[in-house]
Amino acid sequence: MFLLKDRDASVLINQMIMEYSVSVKLKESWGKKPCDHPRLEKVYYVGAFLINYSCTTCGADFTVSQKLEMDQMRKKRETV
């Protein structure tokens, strides 16, 4: 397992999960720039999974239904 360390949080790359504080830092550093949200990861906080997903690029939050909708749209684009 590849582990990327930060001062107060870590992201487990191959498990597709992200610590909540990393998501917050991404949002703060990304600002209002546009993002196509290429990868979403499940968010956890103090070892417990939250119900949302966050973009690994900009930190934007998505519900489970929003993630499923994005996944379906991506699959449609790939088959065209």
Side-chain angles (χ1 to χ4, degrees), residues 63-75:
T63 64
V64 173
S65 62
Q66 289 171 321
K67 181 191 183 301
L68 291 173
E69 188 177 311
M70 289 178 72
D71 289 345
Q72 288 174 349
M73 287 188 319
R74 285 185 179 133
K75 284 181 184 177

Side-chain angles (χ1 to χ4, degrees), residues 11-54:
V11 179
L12 299 174
I13 301 299
N14 67 343
Q15 295 295 315
M16 295 190 66
I17 58 177
M18 179 186 302
E19 173 66 38
Y20 176 75
S21 62
V22 173
S23 176
V24 171
K25 286 179 184 181
L26 283 171
K27 280 183 225 153
E28 291 170 355
S29 65
W30 190 259
K32 301 283 185 191
K33 296 180 280 188
C35 179
D36 62 354
H37 315 299
R39 182 171 171 182
L40 303 180
E41 294 187 359
K42 192 146 180 65
V43 178
Y44 71 99
Y45 181 72
V46 192
F49 285 103
L50 302 178
I51 298 175
N52 63 325
Y53 289 80
S54 284

